[in-house]
Amino acid sequence: MTLVASRGRMKVVVMVVVLIGLWFTLVQYDNTCTLGRKEELSRNMAGFSKGLAGQQNGDAGFSTDQESSMELSGLLKEAMQHGQVGKPTIHLVEIMEAMSRPFFMFVCSNCYCDICDKVRNLGYWSPVESMIFHTVLKRHGCRGGRNLVIDIGAHVGYFSLIAASYGCRVKSFEPNSVALRYLNLSRALNNYDQINLFQKGVGQADTKAMYKQTDTWALNGFLRRRLLETVEVTRLDSIVDEDVLLMKIDTEGYEVNVFAGAKNLLSEHRVHHILAEVKQAGSPSKRELLYTIAKTGQFTHVYNWDEVITPLSVPLDQFTLQNATIVDVTSIVLNKDIAGYLQFQDFWFCREPLPWL
């Protein structure tokens, strides 16, 4: 019996050692992949920096020994010829480096662009929403592009790039031609071919509309006027006919139109998570909208969160959703006739409870 017990304990010890070894190997593999990804991006950066300076000085800039450099050269040349794009600079998105998903972004260094300023100076934009993206994508996974993320109001592509860093397929909608050029540059720099770009607005009908490109892209005050451009507007139902892992909507007050054109998507497919900015959420029309989204999409949980606009008080690698101000507003949203205070304008519709709330 003693011999049998000793052999049993020995087997357990061996299994523990093997498991520890496997864990260590996986950690090393993940670190190696992350390091390799950063080295690959750094090589792209090194080969591109000279060309970027050359393009901005009016020179040819790029050598043609690498296909990626040639593509970036062409995109940047096209952007500079378009005018009104400001001065593009490249920055590491540090909050995603902390998540072992590093990527670089093109941002404008002399525009009135909040996202550009935050990425350039802090290494992140919208840390709570970034962490929600990280939490959802890490939990569900996107390997092999099996999951779709939709980014409506993509701007320069911060959230589209986060989704692509996890391997997700991404459909990015942005009517602003200048912002979309920055996203296209970042897509090429990171080799994120799975991002599909649509220079379109998203609304309740397939049509065309005049888009006002306002001071968001004023270059040091030089373009302080409204620039009008005609853009296509599409219903989401006209483009998306499949399940969606995560849909982000930031349309500066046009969210009612977006959902009016997504009725089939919500009722006939599974949209697992929606992150939506809903301005004046306490008004009767917006309360009706929130209720309709939750009911049509069969969401069981709705959260309201306060986005952090000041620098984080904790290091990036220590920031979690538990550090954020998130309120469970499910009962308020699902009972539109009862009085309830919706304090913030950012909403998360999902089917999973947050265990700490």
Side-chain angles (χ1 to χ4, degrees):
M1 291 293 293
T2 303
L3 180 60
V4 172
S6 299
R7 287 178 177 175
R9 285 194 294 271
M10 182 61 68
K11 287 182 179 179
V12 171
V13 171
V14 170
M15 289 179 63
V16 170
V17 171
V18 169
L19 288 173
I20 291 174
L22 286 173
W23 175 82
F24 181 78
T25 301
L26 288 172
V27 170
Q28 290 296 104
Y29 175 76
D30 184 63
N31 290 338
T32 301
C33 290
T34 301
L35 181 60
R37 173 69 178 154
K38 289 183 67 176
E39 289 177 347
E40 174 191 351
L41 292 173
S42 296
R43 286 194 298 270
N44 282 356
M45 288 277 291
F48 191 64
S49 296
K50 181 180 178 181
L52 178 60
Q55 290 283 9
Q56 293 172 341
N57 292 329
D59 304 328
F62 287 94
S63 63
T64 57
D65 57 345
Q66 291 186 351
E67 183 178 344
S68 60
S69 292
M70 291 174 64
E71 180 184 5
L72 284 167
S73 175
L75 290 172
L76 185 61
K77 183 177 181 180
E78 179 186 355
M80 301 303 285
Q81 289 175 343
H82 176 269
Q84 303 163 0
V85 297
K87 181 181 178 182
T89 55
I90 307 171
H91 296 270
L92 175 68
V93 179
E94 295 177 14
I95 196 170
M96 295 313 297
E97 182 182 29
M99 307 303 162
S100 300
R101 291 292 189 279
F103 62 83
F104 289 95
M105 271 188 73
F106 273 90
V107 298
C108 181
S109 62
N110 65 337
C111 304
Y112 293 106
C113 168
D114 286 343
I115 296 178
C116 302
D117 290 342
K118 291 295 192 299
V119 169
R120 197 170 66 246
N121 297 319
L122 300 177
Y124 57 82
W125 164 257
S126 190
V128 178
E129 197 162 4
S130 300
M131 189 58 62
I132 294 174
F133 260 72
H134 167 70
T135 301
V136 171
L137 300 181
K138 183 178 180 181
R139 179 181 303 168
H140 294 279
C142 279
R143 290 188 182 276
R146 71 173 182 265
N147 282 322
L148 173 65
V149 172
I150 298 175
D151 189 0
I152 301 173
H155 204 254
V156 292
Y158 177 87
F159 289 107
S160 293
L161 295 165
I162 288 180
S165 75
Y166 285 85
C168 302
R169 291 179 294 118
V170 185
K171 293 185 185 296
S172 306
F173 297 86
E174 174 54 54
N176 188 319
S177 60
V178 177
L180 203 67
R181 289 176 187 275
Y182 275 85
L183 172 50
N184 202 16
L185 286 166
S186 297
R187 179 181 69 165
L189 178 64
N190 292 279
N191 297 316
Y192 288 159
D193 297 331
Q194 70 269 37
I195 300 178
N196 295 320
L197 306 182
F198 298 86
Q199 190 192 344
K200 296 183 177 184
V202 178
Q204 59 187 343
D206 297 322
T207 183
K208 290 186 178 181
M210 294 299 294
Y211 174 76
K212 294 179 180 179
Q213 183 177 304
T214 60
D215 286 348
T216 301
W217 285 97
L219 311 181
N220 291 336
F222 179 69
L223 294 174
R224 286 189 177 276
R225 62 183 185 275
R226 292 179 181 269
L227 303 177
L228 297 178
E229 56 181 329
T230 302
V231 298
E232 293 184 14
V233 178
T234 184
R235 295 181 307 126
L236 209 55
D237 287 338
S238 299
I239 293 181
V240 182
D241 188 21
E242 61 178 296
D243 291 349
V244 176
L245 173 58
L246 175 60
M247 180 161 67
K248 183 225 95 184
I249 301 168
D250 184 358
T251 53
E252 300 298 328
Y254 288 93
E255 54 274 0
V256 172
N257 304 66
V258 171
F259 285 107
K263 294 178 180 177
N264 293 340
L265 176 62
L266 286 176
S267 61
E268 298 178 8
H269 295 284
R270 176 64 66 93
V271 180
H272 294 271
H273 298 265
I274 294 179
L275 304 180
E277 180 186 77
V278 180
K279 294 184 179 297
Q280 298 178 333
S283 68
S285 62
K286 296 302 177 69
R287 285 289 302 271
E288 182 69 32
L289 172 65
L290 294 170
Y291 174 82
T292 301
I293 296 170
K295 282 296 186 179
T296 306
Q298 299 180 356
F299 293 105
T300 57
H301 294 82
V302 186
Y303 297 101
N304 198 202
W305 83 84
D306 182 20
E307 190 49 79
V308 178
I309 59 175
T310 57
L312 293 176
S313 58
V314 297
L316 285 174
D317 58 356
Q318 297 178 21
F319 181 72
T320 67
L321 287 180
Q322 286 92 327
N323 301 125
T325 302
I326 301 179
V327 181
D328 189 341
V329 293
T330 306
S331 60
I332 299 175
V333 170
L334 292 180
N335 296 277
K336 59 180 178 179
D337 296 326
I338 68 170
Y341 182 53
L342 299 173
Q343 186 175 359
F344 311 116
Q345 65 181 11
D346 292 301
F347 292 84
W348 178 8
F349 297 83
C350 59
R351 294 177 176 82
E352 305 163 354
L354 298 181
W356 64 90
L357 291 181

PDB file of all heavy atoms in Angstrom, residues 48-65:
ATOM      1  N   PHE A  48       9.539  53.172 -42.630  1.00  0.00           N
ATOM      2  CA  PHE A  48       8.531  54.133 -43.060  1.00  0.00           C
ATOM      3  C   PHE A  48       8.843  55.553 -42.626  1.00  0.00           C
ATOM      4  O   PHE A  48       8.431  56.512 -43.270  1.00  0.00           O
ATOM      5  CB  PHE A  48       7.176  53.709 -42.497  1.00  0.00           C
ATOM      6  CG  PHE A  48       6.019  54.459 -43.086  1.00  0.00           C
ATOM      7  CD1 PHE A  48       5.710  54.349 -44.427  1.00  0.00           C
ATOM      8  CD2 PHE A  48       5.254  55.275 -42.276  1.00  0.00           C
ATOM      9  CE1 PHE A  48       4.646  55.042 -44.965  1.00  0.00           C
ATOM     10  CE2 PHE A  48       4.185  55.973 -42.816  1.00  0.00           C
ATOM     11  CZ  PHE A  48       3.887  55.858 -44.152  1.00  0.00           C
ATOM     12  N   SER A  49       9.580  55.702 -41.522  1.00  0.00           N
ATOM     13  CA  SER A  49       9.813  57.027 -40.950  1.00  0.00           C
ATOM     14  C   SER A  49      10.511  57.964 -41.938  1.00  0.00           C
ATOM     15  O   SER A  49      10.125  59.129 -42.098  1.00  0.00           O
ATOM     16  CB  SER A  49      10.649  56.913 -39.671  1.00  0.00           C
ATOM     17  OG  SER A  49       9.938  56.203 -38.695  1.00  0.00           O
ATOM     18  N   LYS A  50      11.517  57.452 -42.608  1.00  0.00           N
ATOM     19  CA  LYS A  50      12.233  58.271 -43.568  1.00  0.00           C
ATOM     20  C   LYS A  50      11.302  58.712 -44.689  1.00  0.00           C
ATOM     21  O   LYS A  50      11.321  59.865 -45.123  1.00  0.00           O
ATOM     22  CB  LYS A  50      13.422  57.503 -44.131  1.00  0.00           C
ATOM     23  CG  LYS A  50      14.243  58.314 -45.134  1.00  0.00           C
ATOM     24  CD  LYS A  50      15.416  57.489 -45.655  1.00  0.00           C
ATOM     25  CE  LYS A  50      16.204  58.284 -46.697  1.00  0.00           C
ATOM     26  NZ  LYS A  50      17.343  57.501 -47.233  1.00  0.00           N
ATOM     27  N   GLY A  51      10.486  57.771 -45.157  1.00  0.00           N
ATOM     28  CA  GLY A  51       9.551  58.099 -46.225  1.00  0.00           C
ATOM     29  C   GLY A  51       8.506  59.089 -45.786  1.00  0.00           C
ATOM     30  O   GLY A  51       8.092  59.963 -46.542  1.00  0.00           O
ATOM     31  N   LEU A  52       8.055  58.964 -44.517  1.00  0.00           N
ATOM     32  CA  LEU A  52       7.059  59.892 -43.992  1.00  0.00           C
ATOM     33  C   LEU A  52       7.612  61.310 -43.985  1.00  0.00           C
ATOM     34  O   LEU A  52       6.958  62.258 -44.431  1.00  0.00           O
ATOM     35  CB  LEU A  52       6.662  59.476 -42.587  1.00  0.00           C
ATOM     36  CG  LEU A  52       5.652  60.362 -41.857  1.00  0.00           C
ATOM     37  CD1 LEU A  52       4.349  60.429 -42.632  1.00  0.00           C
ATOM     38  CD2 LEU A  52       5.413  59.847 -40.451  1.00  0.00           C
ATOM     39  N   ALA A  53       8.852  61.454 -43.506  1.00  0.00           N
ATOM     40  CA  ALA A  53       9.478  62.776 -43.500  1.00  0.00           C
ATOM     41  C   ALA A  53       9.650  63.296 -44.917  1.00  0.00           C
ATOM     42  O   ALA A  53       9.426  64.473 -45.208  1.00  0.00           O
ATOM     43  CB  ALA A  53      10.831  62.706 -42.784  1.00  0.00           C
ATOM     44  N   GLY A  54      10.036  62.394 -45.831  1.00  0.00           N
ATOM     45  CA  GLY A  54      10.217  62.802 -47.224  1.00  0.00           C
ATOM     46  C   GLY A  54       8.931  63.268 -47.858  1.00  0.00           C
ATOM     47  O   GLY A  54       8.892  64.261 -48.582  1.00  0.00           O
ATOM     48  N   GLN A  55       7.834  62.549 -47.581  1.00  0.00           N
ATOM     49  CA  GLN A  55       6.541  62.935 -48.152  1.00  0.00           C
ATOM     50  C   GLN A  55       6.121  64.303 -47.638  1.00  0.00           C
ATOM     51  O   GLN A  55       5.598  65.124 -48.384  1.00  0.00           O
ATOM     52  CB  GLN A  55       5.466  61.890 -47.772  1.00  0.00           C
ATOM     53  CG  GLN A  55       5.635  60.551 -48.472  1.00  0.00           C
ATOM     54  CD  GLN A  55       5.153  60.595 -49.920  1.00  0.00           C
ATOM     55  OE1 GLN A  55       4.843  61.664 -50.440  1.00  0.00           O
ATOM     56  NE2 GLN A  55       5.090  59.449 -50.555  1.00  0.00           N
ATOM     57  N   GLN A  56       6.337  64.539 -46.361  1.00  0.00           N
ATOM     58  CA  GLN A  56       5.914  65.813 -45.795  1.00  0.00           C
ATOM     59  C   GLN A  56       6.780  66.965 -46.300  1.00  0.00           C
ATOM     60  O   GLN A  56       6.351  68.107 -46.318  1.00  0.00           O
ATOM     61  CB  GLN A  56       5.947  65.745 -44.271  1.00  0.00           C
ATOM     62  CG  GLN A  56       4.898  64.793 -43.712  1.00  0.00           C
ATOM     63  CD  GLN A  56       5.051  64.572 -42.232  1.00  0.00           C
ATOM     64  OE1 GLN A  56       6.105  64.834 -41.673  1.00  0.00           O
ATOM     65  NE2 GLN A  56       4.007  64.064 -41.600  1.00  0.00           N
ATOM     66  N   ASN A  57       8.010  66.652 -46.729  1.00  0.00           N
ATOM     67  CA  ASN A  57       8.897  67.676 -47.282  1.00  0.00           C
ATOM     68  C   ASN A  57       8.786  67.781 -48.793  1.00  0.00           C
ATOM     69  O   ASN A  57       9.507  68.531 -49.429  1.00  0.00           O
ATOM     70  CB  ASN A  57      10.356  67.367 -46.902  1.00  0.00           C
ATOM     71  CG  ASN A  57      10.596  67.518 -45.412  1.00  0.00           C
ATOM     72  OD1 ASN A  57       9.950  68.334 -44.766  1.00  0.00           O
ATOM     73  ND2 ASN A  57      11.509  66.721 -44.868  1.00  0.00           N
ATOM     74  N   GLY A  58       7.890  66.970 -49.364  1.00  0.00           N
ATOM     75  CA  GLY A  58       7.686  67.025 -50.806  1.00  0.00           C
ATOM     76  C   GLY A  58       8.636  66.138 -51.587  1.00  0.00           C
ATOM     77  O   GLY A  58       8.707  66.235 -52.818  1.00  0.00           O
ATOM     78  N   ASP A  59       9.401  65.259 -50.911  1.00  0.00           N
ATOM     79  CA  ASP A  59      10.335  64.382 -51.603  1.00  0.00           C
ATOM     80  C   ASP A  59       9.669  63.047 -51.906  1.00  0.00           C
ATOM     81  O   ASP A  59       8.599  62.732 -51.420  1.00  0.00           O
ATOM     82  CB  ASP A  59      11.578  64.136 -50.725  1.00  0.00           C
ATOM     83  CG  ASP A  59      12.244  65.449 -50.337  1.00  0.00           C
ATOM     84  OD1 ASP A  59      12.173  66.393 -51.163  1.00  0.00           O
ATOM     85  OD2 ASP A  59      12.802  65.529 -49.234  1.00  0.00           O
ATOM     86  N   ALA A  60      10.350  62.233 -52.682  1.00  0.00           N
ATOM     87  CA  ALA A  60       9.828  60.904 -52.994  1.00  0.00           C
ATOM     88  C   ALA A  60       9.780  60.053 -51.744  1.00  0.00           C
ATOM     89  O   ALA A  60       8.835  59.334 -51.482  1.00  0.00           O
ATOM     90  CB  ALA A  60      10.685  60.239 -54.064  1.00  0.00           C
ATOM     91  N   GLY A  61      10.876  60.106 -50.957  1.00  0.00           N
ATOM     92  CA  GLY A  61      10.833  59.525 -49.617  1.00  0.00           C
ATOM     93  C   GLY A  61      11.066  58.046 -49.532  1.00  0.00           C
ATOM     94  O   GLY A  61      12.037  57.603 -48.952  1.00  0.00           O
ATOM     95  N   PHE A  62      10.187  57.215 -50.071  1.00  0.00           N
ATOM     96  CA  PHE A  62      10.227  55.787 -49.831  1.00  0.00           C
ATOM     97  C   PHE A  62      11.093  55.063 -50.847  1.00  0.00           C
ATOM     98  O   PHE A  62      11.101  55.381 -52.026  1.00  0.00           O
ATOM     99  CB  PHE A  62       8.810  55.189 -49.897  1.00  0.00           C
ATOM    100  CG  PHE A  62       7.977  55.543 -48.720  1.00  0.00           C
ATOM    101  CD1 PHE A  62       7.139  56.643 -48.760  1.00  0.00           C
ATOM    102  CD2 PHE A  62       8.032  54.796 -47.559  1.00  0.00           C
ATOM    103  CE1 PHE A  62       6.372  56.967 -47.664  1.00  0.00           C
ATOM    104  CE2 PHE A  62       7.272  55.123 -46.467  1.00  0.00           C
ATOM    105  CZ  PHE A  62       6.435  56.208 -46.529  1.00  0.00           C
ATOM    106  N   SER A  63      11.792  54.043 -50.350  1.00  0.00           N
ATOM    107  CA  SER A  63      12.407  53.088 -51.267  1.00  0.00           C
ATOM    108  C   SER A  63      11.337  52.094 -51.665  1.00  0.00           C
ATOM    109  O   SER A  63      10.333  51.936 -50.987  1.00  0.00           O
ATOM    110  CB  SER A  63      13.571  52.368 -50.570  1.00  0.00           C
ATOM    111  OG  SER A  63      13.082  51.619 -49.477  1.00  0.00           O
ATOM    112  N   THR A  64      11.541  51.393 -52.751  1.00  0.00           N
ATOM    113  CA  THR A  64      10.510  50.483 -53.261  1.00  0.00           C
ATOM    114  C   THR A  64      10.906  49.031 -53.064  1.00  0.00           C
ATOM    115  O   THR A  64      10.479  48.160 -53.797  1.00  0.00           O
ATOM    116  CB  THR A  64      10.273  50.740 -54.763  1.00  0.00           C
ATOM    117  OG1 THR A  64      11.514  50.580 -55.464  1.00  0.00           O
ATOM    118  CG2 THR A  64       9.746  52.144 -54.989  1.00  0.00           C
ATOM    119  N   ASP A  65      11.713  48.757 -52.028  1.00  0.00           N
ATOM    120  CA  ASP A  65      12.174  47.386 -51.835  1.00  0.00           C
ATOM    121  C   ASP A  65      11.186  46.554 -51.046  1.00  0.00           C
ATOM    122  O   ASP A  65      11.340  45.348 -50.938  1.00  0.00           O
ATOM    123  CB  ASP A  65      13.549  47.371 -51.143  1.00  0.00           C
ATOM    124  CG  ASP A  65      13.513  48.099 -49.809  1.00  0.00           C
ATOM    125  OD1 ASP A  65      12.534  48.842 -49.582  1.00  0.00           O
ATOM    126  OD2 ASP A  65      14.460  47.928 -49.028  1.00  0.00           O
TER     127      ASP A  65
END
